[in-house]
PDB file of all heavy atoms in Angstrom:
ATOM      1  N   VAL U   5       1.957  94.633 -52.223  1.00 98.00           N
ATOM      2  CA  VAL U   5       3.244  94.060 -51.832  1.00 98.00           C
ATOM      3  C   VAL U   5       3.561  92.818 -52.659  1.00 98.00           C
ATOM      4  O   VAL U   5       2.769  91.876 -52.718  1.00 98.00           O
ATOM      5  CB  VAL U   5       3.271  93.722 -50.330  1.00 98.00           C
ATOM      6  CG1 VAL U   5       4.602  93.069 -49.955  1.00 98.00           C
ATOM      7  CG2 VAL U   5       3.046  94.981 -49.503  1.00 98.00           C
ATOM      8  N   ALA U   6       4.728  92.818 -53.277  1.00 98.00           N
ATOM      9  CA  ALA U   6       5.199  91.668 -54.052  1.00 98.00           C
ATOM     10  C   ALA U   6       6.057  90.737 -53.212  1.00 98.00           C
ATOM     11  O   ALA U   6       5.950  89.510 -53.321  1.00 98.00           O
ATOM     12  CB  ALA U   6       5.987  92.153 -55.269  1.00 98.00           C
ATOM     13  N   VAL U   7       6.939  91.325 -52.396  1.00 98.00           N
ATOM     14  CA  VAL U   7       7.906  90.541 -51.627  1.00 98.00           C
ATOM     15  C   VAL U   7       8.045  91.129 -50.228  1.00 98.00           C
ATOM     16  O   VAL U   7       8.170  92.348 -50.073  1.00 98.00           O
ATOM     17  CB  VAL U   7       9.304  90.530 -52.300  1.00 98.00           C
ATOM     18  CG1 VAL U   7      10.266  89.635 -51.516  1.00 98.00           C
ATOM     19  CG2 VAL U   7       9.217  90.089 -53.759  1.00 98.00           C
ATOM     20  N   LEU U   8       8.028  90.256 -49.231  1.00 98.00           N
ATOM     21  CA  LEU U   8       8.409  90.631 -47.874  1.00 98.00           C
ATOM     22  C   LEU U   8       9.802  90.067 -47.636  1.00 98.00           C
ATOM     23  O   LEU U   8      10.014  88.857 -47.720  1.00 98.00           O
ATOM     24  CB  LEU U   8       7.419  90.088 -46.851  1.00 98.00           C
ATOM     25  CG  LEU U   8       7.745  90.351 -45.374  1.00 98.00           C
ATOM     26  CD1 LEU U   8       7.845  91.833 -45.075  1.00 98.00           C
ATOM     27  CD2 LEU U   8       6.703  89.685 -44.464  1.00 98.00           C
ATOM     28  N   MET U   9      10.754  90.931 -47.353  1.00 98.00           N
ATOM     29  CA  MET U   9      12.161  90.551 -47.181  1.00 98.00           C
ATOM     30  C   MET U   9      12.591  90.901 -45.758  1.00 98.00           C
ATOM     31  O   MET U   9      12.665  92.066 -45.390  1.00 98.00           O
ATOM     32  CB  MET U   9      13.038  91.292 -48.194  1.00 98.00           C
ATOM     33  CG  MET U   9      14.510  90.997 -48.099  1.00 98.00           C
ATOM     34  SD  MET U   9      15.530  92.088 -49.135  1.00 98.00           S
ATOM     35  CE  MET U   9      15.468  93.619 -48.194  1.00 98.00           C
ATOM     36  N   LEU U  10      12.880  89.877 -44.959  1.00 98.00           N
ATOM     37  CA  LEU U  10      13.236  90.096 -43.567  1.00 98.00           C
ATOM     38  C   LEU U  10      14.462  89.284 -43.187  1.00 98.00           C
ATOM     39  O   LEU U  10      14.699  88.205 -43.735  1.00 98.00           O
ATOM     40  CB  LEU U  10      12.089  89.705 -42.634  1.00 98.00           C
ATOM     41  CG  LEU U  10      10.781  90.493 -42.743  1.00 98.00           C
ATOM     42  CD1 LEU U  10       9.724  89.862 -41.848  1.00 98.00           C
ATOM     43  CD2 LEU U  10      10.988  91.957 -42.378  1.00 98.00           C
ATOM     44  N   THR U  11      15.205  89.792 -42.220  1.00 98.00           N
ATOM     45  CA  THR U  11      16.239  89.008 -41.561  1.00 98.00           C
ATOM     46  C   THR U  11      15.609  88.330 -40.346  1.00 98.00           C
ATOM     47  O   THR U  11      14.951  88.992 -39.540  1.00 98.00           O
ATOM     48  CB  THR U  11      17.420  89.886 -41.141  1.00 98.00           C
ATOM     49  OG1 THR U  11      18.012  90.460 -42.321  1.00 98.00           O
ATOM     50  CG2 THR U  11      18.470  89.066 -40.415  1.00 98.00           C
ATOM     51  N   HIS U  12      15.806  87.039 -40.234  1.00 98.00           N
ATOM     52  CA  HIS U  12      15.149  86.250 -39.192  1.00 98.00           C
ATOM     53  C   HIS U  12      15.485  86.763 -37.797  1.00 98.00           C
ATOM     54  O   HIS U  12      14.602  86.933 -36.949  1.00 98.00           O
ATOM     55  CB  HIS U  12      15.559  84.782 -39.339  1.00 98.00           C
ATOM     56  CG  HIS U  12      14.842  83.851 -38.437  1.00 98.00           C
ATOM     57  ND1 HIS U  12      15.416  82.698 -37.943  1.00 98.00           N
ATOM     58  CD2 HIS U  12      13.597  83.859 -37.925  1.00 98.00           C
ATOM     59  CE1 HIS U  12      14.557  82.069 -37.184  1.00 98.00           C
ATOM     60  NE2 HIS U  12      13.447  82.742 -37.142  1.00 98.00           N
ATOM     61  N   VAL U  13      16.762  87.013 -37.536  1.00 98.00           N
ATOM     62  CA  VAL U  13      17.219  87.592 -36.279  1.00 98.00           C
ATOM     63  C   VAL U  13      17.863  88.932 -36.579  1.00 98.00           C
ATOM     64  O   VAL U  13      18.819  89.010 -37.350  1.00 98.00           O
ATOM     65  CB  VAL U  13      18.214  86.670 -35.549  1.00 98.00           C
ATOM     66  CG1 VAL U  13      18.768  87.356 -34.299  1.00 98.00           C
ATOM     67  CG2 VAL U  13      17.554  85.345 -35.173  1.00 98.00           C
ATOM     68  N   ASN U  14      17.351  89.975 -35.965  1.00 97.00           N
ATOM     69  CA  ASN U  14      17.843  91.325 -36.223  1.00 97.00           C
ATOM     70  C   ASN U  14      19.296  91.477 -35.781  1.00 97.00           C
ATOM     71  O   ASN U  14      19.649  91.133 -34.641  1.00 97.00           O
ATOM     72  CB  ASN U  14      16.964  92.339 -35.496  1.00 97.00           C
ATOM     73  CG  ASN U  14      17.300  93.779 -35.828  1.00 97.00           C
ATOM     74  OD1 ASN U  14      18.242  94.351 -35.288  1.00 97.00           O
ATOM     75  ND2 ASN U  14      16.542  94.373 -36.716  1.00 97.00           N
ATOM     76  N   TYR U  15      20.124  92.016 -36.664  1.00 96.00           N
ATOM     77  CA  TYR U  15      21.553  92.109 -36.373  1.00 96.00           C
ATOM     78  C   TYR U  15      21.848  93.053 -35.225  1.00 96.00           C
ATOM     79  O   TYR U  15      22.846  92.881 -34.514  1.00 96.00           O
ATOM     80  CB  TYR U  15      22.324  92.544 -37.628  1.00 96.00           C
ATOM     81  CG  TYR U  15      22.350  94.037 -37.867  1.00 96.00           C
ATOM     82  CD1 TYR U  15      23.466  94.799 -37.547  1.00 96.00           C
ATOM     83  CD2 TYR U  15      21.263  94.709 -38.428  1.00 96.00           C
ATOM     84  CE1 TYR U  15      23.497  96.165 -37.774  1.00 96.00           C
ATOM     85  CE2 TYR U  15      21.283  96.062 -38.649  1.00 96.00           C
ATOM     86  CZ  TYR U  15      22.395  96.791 -38.326  1.00 96.00           C
ATOM     87  OH  TYR U  15      22.428  98.148 -38.536  1.00 96.00           O
ATOM     88  N   ARG U  16      21.007  94.059 -35.022  1.00 94.00           N
ATOM     89  CA  ARG U  16      21.273  95.048 -33.988  1.00 94.00           C
ATOM     90  C   ARG U  16      20.693  94.603 -32.630  1.00 94.00           C
ATOM     91  O   ARG U  16      21.407  94.589 -31.629  1.00 94.00           O
ATOM     92  CB  ARG U  16      20.702  96.403 -34.415  1.00 94.00           C
ATOM     93  CG  ARG U  16      20.958  97.500 -33.400  1.00 94.00           C
ATOM     94  CD  ARG U  16      20.307  98.798 -33.803  1.00 94.00           C
ATOM     95  NE  ARG U  16      21.100  99.565 -34.761  1.00 94.00           N
ATOM     96  CZ  ARG U  16      20.666  99.989 -35.935  1.00 94.00           C
ATOM     97  NH1 ARG U  16      19.436  99.695 -36.318  1.00 94.00           N
ATOM     98  NH2 ARG U  16      21.451 100.700 -36.744  1.00 94.00           N
ATOM     99  N   THR U  17      19.423  94.220 -32.595  1.00 95.00           N
ATOM    100  CA  THR U  17      18.757  93.940 -31.321  1.00 95.00           C
ATOM    101  C   THR U  17      18.760  92.473 -30.922  1.00 95.00           C
ATOM    102  O   THR U  17      18.562  92.144 -29.750  1.00 95.00           O
ATOM    103  CB  THR U  17      17.300  94.410 -31.357  1.00 95.00           C
ATOM    104  OG1 THR U  17      16.573  93.611 -32.321  1.00 95.00           O
ATOM    105  CG2 THR U  17      17.213  95.874 -31.729  1.00 95.00           C
ATOM    106  N   GLY U  18      18.935  91.579 -31.893  1.00 97.00           N
ATOM    107  CA  GLY U  18      18.811  90.157 -31.600  1.00 97.00           C
ATOM    108  C   GLY U  18      17.373  89.673 -31.542  1.00 97.00           C
ATOM    109  O   GLY U  18      17.126  88.515 -31.193  1.00 97.00           O
ATOM    110  N   ALA U  19      16.407  90.539 -31.874  1.00 97.00           N
ATOM    111  CA  ALA U  19      15.002  90.139 -31.889  1.00 97.00           C
ATOM    112  C   ALA U  19      14.758  89.165 -33.039  1.00 97.00           C
ATOM    113  O   ALA U  19      15.248  89.362 -34.157  1.00 97.00           O
ATOM    114  CB  ALA U  19      14.103  91.358 -32.030  1.00 97.00           C
ATOM    115  N   MET U  20      13.984  88.109 -32.759  1.00 98.00           N
ATOM    116  CA  MET U  20      13.753  87.054 -33.739  1.00 98.00           C
ATOM    117  C   MET U  20      12.275  87.009 -34.128  1.00 98.00           C
ATOM    118  O   MET U  20      11.383  87.023 -33.285  1.00 98.00           O
ATOM    119  CB  MET U  20      14.178  85.696 -33.165  1.00 98.00           C
ATOM    120  CG  MET U  20      14.045  84.536 -34.141  1.00 98.00           C
ATOM    121  SD  MET U  20      14.876  83.023 -33.555  1.00 98.00           S
ATOM    122  CE  MET U  20      13.822  82.626 -32.139  1.00 98.00           C
ATOM    123  N   HIS U  21      12.038  86.922 -35.430  1.00 98.00           N
ATOM    124  CA  HIS U  21      10.682  86.793 -35.942  1.00 98.00           C
ATOM    125  C   HIS U  21      10.175  85.355 -35.800  1.00 98.00           C
ATOM    126  O   HIS U  21      10.963  84.403 -35.810  1.00 98.00           O
ATOM    127  CB  HIS U  21      10.626  87.179 -37.422  1.00 98.00           C
ATOM    128  CG  HIS U  21      10.799  88.644 -37.688  1.00 98.00           C
ATOM    129  ND1 HIS U  21       9.841  89.579 -37.365  1.00 98.00           N
ATOM    130  CD2 HIS U  21      11.820  89.329 -38.255  1.00 98.00           C
ATOM    131  CE1 HIS U  21      10.262  90.779 -37.719  1.00 98.00           C
ATOM    132  NE2 HIS U  21      11.463  90.657 -38.262  1.00 98.00           N
ATOM    133  N   ASP U  22       8.882  85.221 -35.705  1.00 98.00           N
ATOM    134  CA  ASP U  22       8.225  83.920 -35.803  1.00 98.00           C
ATOM    135  C   ASP U  22       8.129  83.585 -37.285  1.00 98.00           C
ATOM    136  O   ASP U  22       7.278  84.096 -38.007  1.00 98.00           O
ATOM    137  CB  ASP U  22       6.828  83.988 -35.166  1.00 98.00           C
ATOM    138  CG  ASP U  22       6.105  82.647 -35.161  1.00 98.00           C
ATOM    139  OD1 ASP U  22       6.324  81.836 -36.081  1.00 98.00           O
ATOM    140  OD2 ASP U  22       5.290  82.419 -34.238  1.00 98.00           O
ATOM    141  N   MET U  23       9.033  82.724 -37.763  1.00 98.00           N
ATOM    142  CA  MET U  23       9.141  82.481 -39.195  1.00 98.00           C
ATOM    143  C   MET U  23       7.857  81.931 -39.786  1.00 98.00           C
ATOM    144  O   MET U  23       7.410  82.367 -40.850  1.00 98.00           O
ATOM    145  CB  MET U  23      10.312  81.532 -39.487  1.00 98.00           C
ATOM    146  CG  MET U  23      10.488  81.194 -40.961  1.00 98.00           C
ATOM    147  SD  MET U  23      11.934  80.190 -41.319  1.00 98.00           S
ATOM    148  CE  MET U  23      13.239  81.417 -41.127  1.00 98.00           C
ATOM    149  N   SER U  24       7.242  80.983 -39.109  1.00 98.00           N
ATOM    150  CA  SER U  24       6.028  80.379 -39.648  1.00 98.00           C
ATOM    151  C   SER U  24       4.890  81.385 -39.716  1.00 98.00           C
ATOM    152  O   SER U  24       4.187  81.483 -40.729  1.00 98.00           O
ATOM    153  CB  SER U  24       5.609  79.179 -38.794  1.00 98.00           C
ATOM    154  OG  SER U  24       6.548  78.127 -38.912  1.00 98.00           O
ATOM    155  N   ALA U  25       4.713  82.154 -38.640  1.00 98.00           N
ATOM    156  CA  ALA U  25       3.605  83.107 -38.593  1.00 98.00           C
ATOM    157  C   ALA U  25       3.782  84.223 -39.617  1.00 98.00           C
ATOM    158  O   ALA U  25       2.835  84.602 -40.316  1.00 98.00           O
ATOM    159  CB  ALA U  25       3.463  83.686 -37.193  1.00 98.00           C
ATOM    160  N   VAL U  26       4.989  84.749 -39.720  1.00 98.00           N
ATOM    161  CA  VAL U  26       5.238  85.848 -40.656  1.00 98.00           C
ATOM    162  C   VAL U  26       5.110  85.365 -42.095  1.00 98.00           C
ATOM    163  O   VAL U  26       4.530  86.045 -42.945  1.00 98.00           O
ATOM    164  CB  VAL U  26       6.617  86.481 -40.401  1.00 98.00           C
ATOM    165  CG1 VAL U  26       6.934  87.523 -41.470  1.00 98.00           C
ATOM    166  CG2 VAL U  26       6.664  87.122 -39.018  1.00 98.00           C
ATOM    167  N   THR U  27       5.656  84.185 -42.381  1.00 98.00           N
ATOM    168  CA  THR U  27       5.541  83.638 -43.732  1.00 98.00           C
ATOM    169  C   THR U  27       4.080  83.417 -44.104  1.00 98.00           C
ATOM    170  O   THR U  27       3.651  83.738 -45.220  1.00 98.00           O
ATOM    171  CB  THR U  27       6.321  82.318 -43.848  1.00 98.00           C
ATOM    172  OG1 THR U  27       7.702  82.552 -43.553  1.00 98.00           O
ATOM    173  CG2 THR U  27       6.204  81.729 -45.244  1.00 98.00           C
ATOM    174  N   ALA U  28       3.302  82.884 -43.169  1.00 98.00           N
ATOM    175  CA  ALA U  28       1.877  82.669 -43.427  1.00 98.00           C
ATOM    176  C   ALA U  28       1.163  83.988 -43.697  1.00 98.00           C
ATOM    177  O   ALA U  28       0.301  84.073 -44.589  1.00 98.00           O
ATOM    178  CB  ALA U  28       1.233  81.946 -42.246  1.00 98.00           C
ATOM    179  N   ALA U  29       1.527  85.033 -42.947  1.00 98.00           N
ATOM    180  CA  ALA U  29       0.909  86.343 -43.157  1.00 98.00           C
ATOM    181  C   ALA U  29       1.260  86.899 -44.531  1.00 98.00           C
ATOM    182  O   ALA U  29       0.402  87.476 -45.221  1.00 98.00           O
ATOM    183  CB  ALA U  29       1.353  87.311 -42.060  1.00 98.00           C
TER     184      ALA U  29
END
């Protein structure tokens, strides 16, 4: 994997990622 590309808050469900945890991963 070169790049992980995510939307912080999902446009459909409104689910939000833990930005710090995901970035660290």
Side-chain angles (χ1 to χ4, degrees):
V5 178
V7 183
L8 177 59
M9 179 189 74
L10 296 174
T11 298
H12 187 211
V13 175
N14 186 279
Y15 84 101
R16 181 184 278 125
T17 66
M20 183 168 67
H21 289 289
D22 183 329
M23 179 175 286
S24 293
V26 174
T27 300

